[in-house]
Amino acid sequence: MTSSAPDSRNDGGYLLDNARPEAGTRFDALSELFDPTTFRHIESLGIAPGWQCWEVGAGGPSVVTWLADRVGPTGRVVATDIDTSWASRAAGGAIEVLRHDVGRDEPPGSGFDFVHARLVLVHVADRERALHAMIGALRPGGWLLLEDADPASQPLICLDEYGPEQALANRLRAGFRSLLAARGVDLAYGRKLPRLLREAGLTEVTADAYFPITSAACDVLEAATIRHVRDGLVAAGLATDEEINRHLANVTSGRLDLATSPMISAWGRRP
């Protein structure tokens, strides 16, 4: 398959856009944290050679390349994103990379055996339209797997706030959540996924959650995220440069037991 040309344009409403240099570091950390969970779920759905797959909001290449390995040369993986700068590195063979906005554009095809989006819909303005577009792109009997965070259910990045370093980390995390909410992010979206899949008519709906705490990948993700949104935090009066520098030094020291928001995975089948 051929790829669309890499496109560095980003959605002005998306706080964590792919065009920033920190994006690659974030993708690597997210892959280390969440790929095993994602791959376990996809394996349980019976992925096999020849499957037609759509990876929505692909971001980095890790899930895309894993899917292509599973579906083989007789299968197809369509990877879409509003900015394909990173996913385009995986293009070729069974993988087709397209610039696409799941909240606005028509699906890039139909009859998919499997559609997946991870940490995507929480950021999409028209989440309902995006959800129904993904379901409509499935063949009868095809599977949809949605995975999204639920920061509202666990707002702290340091669960054990026993000192000033942890208190600062939690205050900056509250500031980050404020920036997300100002961009229209639904901080309680993850918990809604099972209900939304059932209401959309999917069958065999199941869900679980994964909640990483204290790992090197959590540290890497936090440092990259804070660098990514630093200007926004300062401009909004949510933190000072000195506080951000101090927090980044605390993260580098390895003394903080950092958590991520729980990632809720929900999957169901089109009748």
Side-chain angles (χ1 to χ4, degrees):
M1 300 290 180
T2 59
S3 161
S4 63
D7 189 334
S8 62
R9 185 175 61 175
N10 61 76
D11 184 346
Y14 185 35
L15 182 63
L16 298 169
D17 64 83
N18 292 0
R20 292 287 298 270
E22 297 89 355
T25 303
R26 294 189 74 258
F27 290 148
D28 290 343
L30 290 168
S31 295
E32 183 174 341
L33 287 167
F34 296 122
D35 278 1
T37 297
T38 296
F39 297 162
R40 173 171 57 84
H41 290 320
I42 301 173
E43 291 277 18
S44 73
L45 300 180
I47 189 169
W51 270 30
Q52 307 291 302
C53 304
W54 177 19
E55 179 67 15
V56 181
S62 67
V63 175
V64 174
T65 54
W66 186 90
L67 286 171
D69 181 64
R70 293 305 186 278
V71 304
T74 61
R76 178 184 180 221
V77 179
V78 179
T80 63
D81 206 322
I82 59 173
D83 182 334
T84 61
S85 301
W86 300 93
S88 63
R89 303 177 185 190
I95 300 172
E96 179 180 10
V97 181
L98 300 172
R99 189 187 185 283
H100 178 270
D101 185 336
V102 70
R104 298 173 181 171
D105 301 333
E106 293 299 313
S110 60
F112 289 104
D113 300 287
F114 175 69
V115 177
H116 173 242
R118 186 174 75 188
L119 305 176
V120 173
L121 288 191
V122 68
H123 298 283
V124 174
D126 196 343
R127 286 177 279 271
E128 183 176 1
R129 183 183 189 280
L131 173 61
H132 286 279
M134 287 188 284
I135 292 173
L138 289 168
R139 67 165 175 80
W143 288 98
L144 174 66
L145 170 61
L146 297 182
E147 301 181 296
D148 251 309
D150 198 306
S153 68
Q154 200 304 100
L156 303 179
I157 193 168
C158 287
L159 303 181
D160 183 18
E161 189 181 299
Y162 63 89
E165 294 178 346
Q166 291 73 26
L168 175 61
N170 284 336
R171 186 158 61 80
L172 292 183
R173 178 50 50 126
F176 174 51
R177 292 200 317 275
S178 295
L179 293 179
L180 289 172
R183 299 293 184 104
V185 171
D186 182 351
L187 299 176
Y189 189 66
R191 72 188 68 178
K192 302 175 184 177
L193 291 176
R195 171 175 58 84
L196 294 175
L197 295 190
R198 286 196 305 272
E199 290 177 350
L202 296 188
T203 63
E204 302 178 51
V205 173
T206 311
D208 66 12
Y210 177 58
F211 181 24
I213 57 174
T214 313
S215 76
C218 286
D219 293 349
V220 171
L221 179 62
E222 171 65 2
T225 299
I226 290 297
R227 291 189 177 100
H228 200 136
V229 302
R230 177 181 194 130
D231 292 346
L233 290 170
V234 173
L238 297 168
T240 66
D241 278 316
E242 186 277 330
E243 288 171 330
I244 291 173
N245 289 338
R246 181 152 39 98
H247 175 58
L248 290 172
N250 293 339
V251 172
T252 301
S253 75
R255 294 192 300 270
L256 300 178
D257 294 316
L258 300 180
T260 71
S261 299
M263 183 181 75
I264 297 175
S265 304
W267 56 97
R269 198 168 201 170
R270 181 175 179 179

